[in-house]
Amino acid sequence: MTIDMGRPALIACAVLFSGCALFSPVKIDTKRHMLNNIPLDLPSERTHATTLLVPVPDTTPVYATTQMAYSTQTYQIAYFSQNEWAETPSQMIQPLIVKTLRNTHYFSEVLSPPYFGRHTFALHVEILELKQDFTSEPATLQLAMRIYLSREATNQIIATKELSVREPMSERNPYAGVVAANEAMPKLLRELAKFVIEKAD
C-alpha cells in the first residue's frame, strides 16, 4: 500500500490560500463626481472700467472635504463611502463663479489667484452647505453660500447676501444628488451675478 504524501500538502495549501483570500482587503471603487454647470442665458452687460477679484471661497469645515455629505436625520451629517467629489467644493465652485462673472462682460477683468494685485472690487464667498437631504420627500440637494462684495480702495464691505437653493432629486441615491447639484449651481450663480452687478454699479 502506497501513501500519497503530496495530497495532504495540496489540501493544506488550498486551505491556506482560501484563508488568505478570506482575509484580504476588498477593493472598493470610489466614484468621483464634478460640479461644472454655469448659467448659459446671462444678459450681456456694458463693460465697465472696473476689475473684480474672486479669491478661493472659504468653506464651512464639515463641507471642506471631497467627501460627499448627506443627511437621513435632522441635525445629522454622514458621508457616502463609495461616492465623493473629484475636488473640494471651494476648488470646484471658484472657477464657476469666475467664468459666470466673466460671461456677464460687466467687468473689464475678473481676476483669481494667484493674482493679488490692484483691483476695484473683491468678491469673498463662504460655502455654507452642499449636501443631499433624505429627510424630505422627494429628497433634495441643498446648496447655500454667503457672499461679500468689498471695495479695494477702502477695504470695506459694501454688500452681503446669503444665497440658497433646494433642488429636488429624481431618485434617492448619490448620483441623483450630483445631477441635482449641477442643476442647482446655475440658479445660484445667476443670482450671484445679478447681485454683484447691482451692487458694483
Side-chain angles (χ1 to χ4, degrees), residues 39-42 185-195:
L40 301 177
D41 55 349
L42 289 172
M185 198 74 240
K187 297 177 182 178
L188 189 143
L189 290 174
R190 189 178 292 108
E191 289 299 310
L192 179 148
K194 180 182 177 183
F195 174 78

Side-chain angles (χ1 to χ4, degrees), residues 1-2 10-11 34 42 44 48 50 53 65 69 73 77 81 90 115 117 119 136-137 139 141 146 180 186 192 199:
M1 179 178 178
T2 60
L10 288 173
I11 293 172
M34 282 296 297
L42 289 172
S44 184
H48 294 66
T50 55
L53 175 66
T65 173
Q73 297 179 10
I77 288 286
S81 60
S90 61
Y115 177 88
H119 49 275
S136 61
E137 185 58 49
L141 184 286
R146 187 180 293 118
L192 179 148
K199 300 305 179 182

